[in-house]
Amino acid sequence: MPSYTAPTKDMQFVLHDVLGASTQDIPGYEEMDRDFTGAVLEEAGKLAQEVLHPLNVVGDTQGCKLENGIVRTPDGFKEAFDQVRDGGWTALDCDTQYGGQGLPYLMQTGVGEILSSANMAFNMYQGLTHGAYSAIHAHGTDAQKAKWLPKMVTCEWTGTMNLTEPHCGTDLGLMRTKAVPQEDGSYRITGQKIFISAGDHDMSDNIVHLVLAKIQGAPEGIKGVSLFIVPKVLVDDDGNLGARNGVSVGKIEEKMGIHGNSTCVMNYDEAEGYLLGDAHKGMRAMFTMMNEARLGVGLQGYAQAEIAYQNARAYALDRLQGRDVTGTKNPDGPADPLIVHPDIRRNLMDQKSFVEGARAFVFWGAMMIDRAHRNADEDADGLISLLTPIIKGFLTDKGFEYATAAQQVYGGHGYIEEWGMSQFARDARIAMIYEGANGVQALDLVGRKLAQDGGKHVMAFFDMVKSFCKENAEDETLKAGFLEPLKAASKDLQSAAMYFMQSGMKNPNAALAGSYDFMTMFGHVALGLMWAKMAKTAGGMLGDDGADRDFLEAKIATGRYYMARQLPATGMHLSRIQSGPETVMELEPTAF
Amino acid sequence: MPSYTAPTKDMQFVLHDVLGASTQDIPGYEEMDRDFTGAVLEEAGKLAQEVLHPLNVVGDTQGCKLENGIVRTPDGFKEAFDQVRDGGWTALDCDTQYGGQGLPYLMQTGVGEILSSANMAFNMYQGLTHGAYSAIHAHGTDAQKAKWLPKMVTCEWTGTMNLTEPHCGTDLGLMRTKAVPQEDGSYRITGQKIFISAGDHDMSDNIVHLVLAKIQGAPEGIKGVSLFIVPKVLVDDDGNLGARNGVSVGKIEEKMGIHGNSTCVMNYDEAEGYLLGDAHKGMRAMFTMMNEARLGVGLQGYAQAEIAYQNARAYALDRLQGRDVTGTKNPDGPADPLIVHPDIRRNLMDQKSFVEGARAFVFWGAMMIDRAHRNADEDADGLISLLTPIIKGFLTDKGFEYATAAQQVYGGHGYIEEWGMSQFARDARIAMIYEGANGVQALDLVGRKLAQDGGKHVMAFFDMVKSFCKENAEDETLKAGFLEPLKAASKDLQSAAMYFMQSGMKNPNAALAGSYDFMTMFGHVALGLMWAKMAKTAGGMLGDDGADRDFLEAKIATGRYYMARQLPATGMHLSRIQSGPETVMELEPTAF
């Protein structure tokens, strides 16, 4: 059976030593001192280890079942959900006006990693609720907010997001779900939505569906889409639950993973719904919280790699197989532990250097989101908008890749379900697909974000790397294996951006055919920057009284691995991009 | 539901136009003319499409069940196995002396791809039998061969390979299964074996287990391991089935994929067994057929990528989503097909260029095996021994990667089981693990094969690339995008080999820490060479009367994609290797 321990020490290092959270000039951050975040993370870790993680395999094995129109969650989920609710874990960064705790999104992100590592499928029930909460909070009327939010903050009522239909996912302009206005100002919603995570279940009194639909007579395409609140159970003006609405579950999908989460086909049959935000501006409303939602999915990617890594490491330290070619390490045993073998280490270092770099990237991104929201900082908003598709796309690609690599450490034991390694890979796989498939993230990055505000934000990113390298040119730690690789990788990335600008003007396919490579190399540069920051911090702390030298030296060594063994990927991606769009576009469709 | 069509046209192109099979100076190849192989492949395709592929999802969904000590295969498997047997498909390359058809291994390989694409889990029952057949054929006494082989050739009796035990997989020297000699010359075998594919089932009258065990008093470690024939049902001297042997199924493993194949824990309790080959030489006997077995697993890797690609292509041509940014391609429809989007094409081209290159590599490798066996050609044997870990490791890594990439084309539909794309990825995953995990392949390549016979075989490979480039320096097709990338990639590979020679002498970890990168870059160079050969062939045929220009031009374009977009990976791998072992080996085990 797999195990999980919340990596609170690594988290605290990022939060305080690297990011200096409590010293940041962001409202609310003054509370975020080391003791406070430490206590919160420790408590979340306890919940994760004692309650959520033991249910991870249960959820995978039992899945959700549709019985007489009602979805039954796996054994123990309901009780665990009560504990999460009672512990206040659903309300961390919610508005205090509606019962939330008003903590920074950064705090929510740290906790989110822990809960997501421990049980991704389970944590999605509250994650989806949080997304729906954010949409209502941003676009609802005061009356709507007062009616829906307090119960959603506590997850007494959970939420969902309904976008996809059988014939359209990415291209939502093709949507067919209809909304017919009623005399009382409400709408009747009719249509079918698919792939609705947490679409139905038995863990809350009500479910607040946010549904995209077209109002009769709306403009064609994506500009005619509106967003509606459609509750499972109707709620009167005093907040009492009334009759069932015209919402039903068509079926539960059988999936590759996240079996503990109910992925439903939802049928809306003249269901009563209430317009959220402006008519025909549904996409805008839905996308208000997109940066957060996509950062949350990127987090899922590395969170699965983290738990997979923890277990691969444990197995590599424990399993005796073969001998160290440079000299036996376990002479009294029948063989040496796996970890003596260079290729096992190579694999583990790939995982470890990715996960720790990704954590720093996501925490730093969460701080940008806080800065954008709490300080109304447009530069921070622009920067995180640029980086969001990279956080989502790169971290979920790599998260899956390394969950799979962790599985490999187990040999045949990794392939059988008993050891739990297969589940981490199968669960991680979805994060590459939902909330915008990763190819769409690459398109968003290259087709939209790069040129946004005249390219200001990508220039800001390059400047950030450049300034960092300049300011730390004499840093002893960074001189040894950090600055040169970072500069080289950043230069490759700039060359790629330059290629897009020059060639993409003539032929947009020149940029689009290289979009995926660009997203990936950007991810490497971002993680390279994070590693340089972490190494600098760790190097600076080595001389402190009582410094935890083993921990700090391991950070630096792990960072050096990333620079030496991962950053060279940028050259390859640049070559691919510069090879041009011709080989990608040459074949006639019928010749595939 | 997914579909499958045997790619016989592509196969014939490789067999005849590229490899010139029937003109090769190899006994038995004179029969392999275009009509003959075409007829065999078409028939195999029919069987695959009509019988085996429809059972692929059935096998995945139902799995195998252990009922009262007997394993039940999924509905329809038994009848399908009868058809495979009756059609003579199990006997293709078996010895005519024992009822086989005596065809080249190359023919078997072509058919194997088709059957494996159609239903990997199903095809393993005969694949394992073939492995056991080969071991008995190579090491059995005449009496053993006469007794066991005829029924194994027809799969009336199937076979298994029993190596792994709970505490040892790669390191078989730790084995505990014991063999106690009896007065009649037989042995009593006692122990537990795990991960035994096709370990038990209801599709044959008997199962011939090949079991590694240690004879009482044998030398310690791997040098004390012997190989035994241990039938499920005892067979008398006249070939009649008698009593059940002391062999039972402990349980069936729940796995990530290949559910249609019964992966068993096998318990041997004083089971009667017969020594196969010499005492204490079991590993040598087991590894006689290793090149074939590993090539067969490499084949599984690209065969799953092939069927996944076929379905991704169909979906990309059919699914309407978004518009071509350079101008609508489907003005009368609500949207353009997915295939207009550059990143979808990039993904499909990755898959297509890999699968076709892999097929050429494996077919060419199968020809080397025939040359080694049928012509007793030691150079061919040395070369294929060198390339075997690459065929196994690289093709299964990439096979899984591209089966996963094919899944991505489907968006959310790729994650739900209904569309079948998840199964291709889940099934493909095992090929990276069994028959020697891919890290072990890399170790075999760098630690053993590179230096074998004084490095003669790797030099032969480099010479082959060099000669090819020299001889074709003026080829018009190759001048445009083939020769330069191939030379550059081959140079990178040689630099890596040189680095290993120079640094590995002082520190073996310098080579071992780069072994996986070396295997991967070697794979790229090999596929690059195959693509150059295919492009040259296609280019040469373009001027022929009645040439299928669309087909040939697509081959050249696909090859050019591989050279432009895949070969640059060698530079990255070389950088990683040359960064040295320090970052890989630096951390203390406790610091992971």
Side-chain angles (χ1 to χ4, degrees):
Chain A
M1 287 285 287
S3 70
Y4 174 69
T5 307
T8 51
K9 189 172 175 181
D10 289 280
M11 290 179 157
Q12 289 281 73
F13 172 73
V14 175
L15 286 175
H16 302 290
D17 301 315
V18 181
L19 299 180
S22 63
T23 67
Q24 293 286 333
D25 175 28
I26 304 171
Y29 271 52
E30 61 283 353
E31 290 180 63
M32 295 271 286
D33 64 22
R34 199 179 288 266
D35 287 348
F36 176 76
T37 63
V40 173
L41 295 174
E42 288 297 335
E43 277 304 305
K46 237 169 95 178
L47 176 73
Q49 287 151 225
E50 294 171 7
V51 181
L52 304 191
H53 182 60
L55 293 175
N56 197 39
V57 170
V58 175
D60 188 55
T61 313
Q62 294 186 4
C64 296
K65 291 185 181 58
L66 181 61
E67 291 172 0
N68 304 320
I70 294 162
V71 173
R72 303 286 174 206
T73 51
D75 291 347
F77 268 43
K78 196 169 181 344
E79 295 74 16
F81 205 66
D82 286 341
Q83 275 187 263
V84 169
R85 194 161 22 213
D86 295 346
W89 296 106
T90 64
L92 289 183
D93 69 335
C94 295
D95 193 337
T96 52
Q97 194 179 340
Y98 304 104
Q101 298 174 38
L103 290 169
Y105 181 63
L106 177 58
M107 189 75 253
Q108 158 80 16
T109 300
V111 171
E113 182 200 309
I114 293 173
L115 305 188
S116 190
S117 281
N119 195 328
M120 175 169 159
F122 178 91
N123 198 47
M124 287 170 64
Y125 290 98
Q126 70 155 306
L128 270 298
T129 307
H130 194 277
Y133 156 88
S134 298
I136 297 174
H137 190 263
H139 300 285
T141 63
D142 287 345
Q144 285 175 328
K145 291 197 241 186
K147 182 170 184 174
W148 303 107
L149 293 186
K151 299 275 190 186
M152 293 177 77
V153 165
T154 58
C155 277
E156 283 165 278
W157 300 348
T158 60
T160 71
M161 310 291 251
N162 291 239
L163 289 79
T164 307
E165 299 184 6
H167 63 289
C168 69
T170 299
D171 190 354
L172 290 168
L174 303 176
M175 183 173 293
R176 290 180 194 147
T177 298
K178 289 265 168 292
V180 180
Q182 306 295 304
E183 291 194 354
D184 65 356
S186 72
Y187 290 78
R188 292 283 167 175
I189 314 289
T190 301
Q192 188 176 67
K193 295 287 181 177
I194 62 170
F195 303 154
I196 308 309
S197 298
D200 194 51
H201 57 84
D202 52 5
M203 304 195 296
S204 68
D205 300 331
N206 201 0
I207 300 179
V208 182
H209 301 289
L210 295 193
V211 183
L212 285 177
K214 286 185 172 174
I215 299 172
Q216 267 185 329
E220 282 288 299
I222 200 72
K223 289 177 180 160
V225 170
S226 305
L227 186 57
F228 297 89
I229 299 172
V230 186
K232 174 180 174 180
V233 181
L234 295 170
V235 180
D236 71 17
D237 289 341
D238 298 325
N240 300 308
L241 295 177
R244 276 291 298 266
N245 200 356
V247 181
S248 61
V249 181
K251 69 165 179 171
I252 298 189
E253 304 287 3
E254 299 291 333
K255 309 183 297 290
M256 187 177 182
I258 55 165
H259 295 155
N261 199 276
S262 56
T263 305
C264 299
V265 173
M266 299 301 299
N267 293 322
Y268 295 89
D269 186 12
E270 303 216 333
E272 190 169 316
Y274 320 105
L275 184 65
L276 179 62
D278 297 332
H280 317 319
K281 305 285 188 199
M283 291 305 293
R284 205 159 70 185
M286 205 59 149
F287 284 162
T288 308
M289 71 296 303
M290 193 170 66
N291 287 345
E292 273 182 58
R294 290 186 169 177
L295 185 135
V297 174
L299 179 151
Q300 289 182 323
Y302 86 80
Q304 285 308 295
E306 162 70 29
I307 186 170
Y309 166 70
Q310 286 191 16
N311 286 281
R313 172 184 64 194
Y315 193 77
L317 289 166
D318 181 62
R319 174 86 169 175
L320 304 180
Q321 208 80 175
R323 291 290 187 189
D324 187 334
V325 294
T326 63
T328 294
K329 291 291 182 294
N330 179 30
D332 299 334
D336 288 342
L338 282 180
I339 203 158
V340 305
H341 301 297
D343 187 62
I344 294 284
R345 286 176 152 268
R346 189 263 322 150
N347 184 352
L348 290 173
M349 288 302 292
D350 278 345
Q351 298 170 46
K352 180 177 168 64
S353 63
F354 163 70
V355 169
E356 293 177 19
R359 176 180 298 121
F361 190 27
V362 165
F363 281 19
W364 177 83
M367 196 167 83
M368 289 300 115
I369 288 178
D370 278 328
R371 199 176 281 288
H373 290 174
R374 293 175 176 240
N375 296 14
D377 182 332
E378 287 184 10
D379 289 339
D381 192 52
L383 189 57
I384 192 62
S385 291
L386 170 75
L387 297 176
T388 291
I390 300 155
I391 290 175
K392 197 283 182 181
F394 180 71
L395 299 190
T396 61
D397 275 357
K398 294 291 172 185
F400 173 71
E401 180 180 335
Y402 294 126
T404 304
Q407 191 185 13
Q408 192 74 9
V409 173
Y410 280 69
H413 298 279
Y415 196 68
I416 61 173
E417 296 294 348
E418 188 181 339
W419 290 76
M421 300 305 287
S422 159
Q423 186 187 352
F424 301 140
R426 289 185 290 100
D427 285 359
R429 182 68 184 87
I430 187 58
M432 297 161 68
I433 297 174
Y434 62 20
E435 200 57 40
N438 285 356
V440 176
Q441 302 297 327
L443 178 65
D444 178 45
L445 173 64
V446 169
R448 228 175 116 244
K449 298 293 177 62
L450 262 192
Q452 211 161 44
D453 299 323
K456 179 178 156 188
H457 308 299
V458 73
M459 292 312 299
F461 179 84
F462 289 135
D463 281 347
M464 195 161 65
V465 176
K466 202 172 158 185
S467 312
F468 179 89
C469 291
K470 207 169 161 187
E471 285 161 18
N472 296 289
E474 297 309 316
D475 185 283
E476 290 302 322
T477 307
L478 295 184
K479 277 203 278 189
F482 286 90
L483 293 176
E484 290 314 314
L486 180 58
K487 280 187 215 165
S490 180
K491 187 163 166 254
D492 285 343
L493 186 64
Q494 291 183 60
S495 300
M498 191 64 72
Y499 173 83
F500 287 163
M501 280 204 283
Q502 288 167 347
S503 314
M505 302 282 265
K506 283 171 279 180
N507 177 7
N509 288 340
L512 298 180
S515 58
Y516 214 97
D517 283 293
F518 189 77
M519 176 174 78
T520 304
M521 70 195 294
F522 210 144
H524 280 300
V525 175
L527 260 60
L529 176 63
M530 294 300 141
W531 268 118
K533 283 175 187 277
M534 288 195 279
K536 182 199 158 178
T537 304
M541 291 166 69
L542 273 174
D544 292 356
D545 278 352
D548 186 347
R549 294 191 64 90
D550 288 348
F551 177 81
L552 298 170
E553 282 167 357
K555 279 281 172 238
I556 297 168
T558 306
R560 202 176 287 125
Y561 179 91
Y562 196 89
M563 308 314 272
R565 295 244 166 191
Q566 295 296 353
L567 283 198
T570 59
M572 172 185 72
H573 292 294
L574 179 60
S575 293
R576 287 179 179 167
I577 288 169
Q578 290 178 335
S579 75
E582 293 74 18
T583 57
V584 178
M585 305 307 295
E586 187 173 349
L587 284 194
E588 288 298 316
T590 49
F592 273 84
Chain B
M1 288 285 288
S3 69
Y4 175 68
T5 307
T8 50
K9 190 172 173 181
D10 289 281
M11 291 179 155
Q12 290 279 74
F13 172 73
V14 175
L15 286 175
H16 301 291
D17 300 316
V18 181
L19 298 180
S22 63
T23 66
Q24 293 286 334
D25 174 29
I26 304 172
Y29 271 53
E30 61 284 351
E31 289 180 62
M32 294 271 285
D33 65 22
R34 198 179 289 266
D35 286 348
F36 177 76
T37 63
V40 173
L41 296 174
E42 288 297 337
E43 276 304 306
K46 236 169 96 177
L47 176 75
Q49 287 150 226
E50 293 171 8
V51 181
L52 304 191
H53 182 59
L55 293 175
N56 197 39
V57 171
V58 176
D60 188 55
T61 314
Q62 295 187 3
C64 296
K65 292 186 180 59
L66 181 60
E67 291 172 1
N68 304 319
I70 295 164
V71 173
R72 302 286 174 205
T73 52
D75 292 346
F77 269 43
K78 196 170 182 340
E79 295 73 17
F81 205 66
D82 286 341
Q83 275 187 264
V84 169
R85 193 160 24 213
D86 295 346
W89 297 105
T90 64
L92 288 183
D93 69 336
C94 294
D95 192 338
T96 52
Q97 195 180 341
Y98 303 104
Q101 298 174 38
L103 290 168
Y105 180 62
L106 178 58
M107 189 75 253
Q108 158 81 14
T109 299
V111 171
E113 181 200 310
I114 293 173
L115 305 187
S116 190
S117 281
N119 195 328
M120 177 168 158
F122 178 91
N123 199 47
M124 287 170 63
Y125 290 99
Q126 70 154 306
L128 270 299
T129 306
H130 194 276
Y133 156 89
S134 298
I136 297 175
H137 190 263
H139 300 283
T141 62
D142 287 344
Q144 284 176 328
K145 291 199 241 186
K147 183 170 184 174
W148 303 107
L149 294 186
K151 300 274 191 185
M152 294 178 75
V153 165
T154 57
C155 276
E156 284 166 279
W157 300 350
T158 59
T160 72
M161 309 292 252
N162 291 240
L163 290 78
T164 307
E165 299 184 6
H167 63 289
C168 71
T170 299
D171 190 354
L172 290 168
L174 303 176
M175 184 172 294
R176 290 180 194 146
T177 298
K178 288 267 169 294
V180 181
Q182 307 297 303
E183 291 196 353
D184 65 358
S186 72
Y187 291 78
R188 292 283 167 175
I189 314 289
T190 301
Q192 187 177 65
K193 295 287 180 175
I194 63 170
F195 303 154
I196 308 309
S197 298
D200 195 49
H201 57 82
D202 52 6
M203 304 195 295
S204 66
D205 300 330
N206 201 0
I207 300 179
V208 182
H209 300 290
L210 296 194
V211 182
L212 285 177
K214 285 185 172 173
I215 299 172
Q216 268 186 328
E220 282 289 298
I222 201 71
K223 290 179 179 157
V225 169
S226 305
L227 186 58
F228 297 88
I229 298 171
V230 187
K232 173 180 175 181
V233 181
L234 295 170
V235 179
D236 71 18
D237 289 340
D238 299 324
N240 300 309
L241 295 177
R244 276 293 297 264
N245 200 357
V247 182
S248 61
V249 181
K251 71 165 177 168
I252 298 189
E253 304 286 2
E254 299 291 331
K255 308 184 297 291
M256 186 177 182
I258 52 163
H259 296 155
N261 198 277
S262 56
T263 306
C264 299
V265 172
M266 300 300 301
N267 293 321
Y268 295 89
D269 185 12
E270 304 215 332
E272 189 169 316
Y274 320 105
L275 184 66
L276 179 61
D278 296 332
H280 317 319
K281 306 285 187 199
M283 291 305 292
R284 204 160 70 185
M286 205 58 147
F287 283 162
T288 307
M289 71 294 306
M290 194 170 67
N291 287 345
E292 271 181 60
R294 292 187 167 176
L295 185 135
V297 175
L299 178 150
Q300 290 181 323
Y302 86 80
Q304 286 306 296
E306 162 70 29
I307 186 170
Y309 166 69
Q310 287 190 16
N311 286 280
R313 173 183 63 194
Y315 194 75
L317 289 166
D318 181 60
R319 174 86 169 173
L320 304 180
Q321 207 79 176
R323 291 290 186 189
D324 187 332
V325 292
T326 64
T328 294
K329 290 290 184 294
N330 180 30
D332 299 334
D336 288 341
L338 283 180
I339 203 157
V340 305
H341 301 298
D343 187 63
I344 294 284
R345 292 176 75 97
R346 188 265 321 150
N347 185 349
L348 290 173
M349 289 302 292
D350 278 345
Q351 298 171 46
K352 180 177 168 65
S353 64
F354 163 70
V355 169
E356 294 177 17
R359 176 179 298 122
F361 190 28
V362 166
F363 281 20
W364 177 82
M367 197 167 82
M368 288 300 113
I369 289 180
D370 279 328
R371 197 176 283 288
H373 291 174
R374 292 176 176 240
N375 296 11
D377 181 333
E378 288 184 10
D379 289 339
D381 192 51
L383 189 57
I384 193 63
S385 292
L386 169 75
L387 297 176
T388 292
I390 301 155
I391 290 175
K392 197 282 183 183
F394 180 71
L395 300 191
T396 61
D397 276 357
K398 294 291 171 184
F400 173 69
E401 180 180 337
Y402 293 126
T404 304
Q407 192 185 12
Q408 192 73 10
V409 174
Y410 280 68
H413 299 278
Y415 196 67
I416 60 174
E417 296 293 350
E418 189 182 339
W419 290 77
M421 300 304 287
S422 160
Q423 186 188 351
F424 302 139
R426 289 185 289 99
D427 286 359
R429 182 70 183 86
I430 187 59
M432 297 160 69
I433 298 173
Y434 61 20
E435 198 60 39
N438 286 356
V440 175
Q441 302 298 328
L443 178 65
D444 178 46
L445 174 64
V446 169
R448 230 176 115 242
K449 298 293 178 62
L450 262 192
Q452 212 162 43
D453 299 323
K456 177 176 157 191
H457 307 299
V458 72
M459 292 312 299
F461 179 83
F462 288 136
D463 282 346
M464 196 163 62
V465 176
K466 202 172 158 187
S467 311
F468 179 89
C469 291
K470 206 168 160 188
E471 286 162 17
N472 296 288
E474 297 309 316
D475 185 285
E476 290 303 323
T477 307
L478 295 183
K479 278 203 277 188
F482 286 89
L483 293 177
E484 290 313 314
L486 179 57
K487 281 187 214 165
S490 180
K491 187 163 166 257
D492 285 343
L493 186 65
Q494 290 182 61
S495 301
M498 190 65 70
Y499 172 84
F500 288 163
M501 279 204 284
Q502 288 167 349
S503 314
M505 301 284 266
K506 284 171 278 181
N507 177 5
N509 288 341
L512 298 180
S515 59
Y516 213 97
D517 284 293
F518 189 76
M519 177 174 77
T520 304
M521 71 195 293
F522 209 144
H524 280 301
V525 175
L527 261 58
L529 176 63
M530 293 300 142
W531 268 118
K533 283 176 188 278
M534 286 195 280
K536 181 198 157 177
T537 304
M541 289 166 71
L542 274 174
D544 292 355
D545 278 351
D548 186 346
R549 293 191 66 89
D550 288 349
F551 176 81
L552 298 170
E553 282 167 358
K555 279 281 170 238
I556 296 167
T558 305
R560 203 176 286 126
Y561 179 92
Y562 195 89
M563 308 312 275
R565 295 244 165 191
Q566 296 296 354
L567 282 199
T570 58
M572 172 185 72
H573 292 295
L574 178 61
S575 293
R576 288 179 178 167
I577 288 168
Q578 289 179 336
S579 75
E582 292 76 17
T583 58
V584 178
M585 305 308 295
E586 187 172 351
L587 284 195
E588 288 298 315
T590 50
F592 273 83

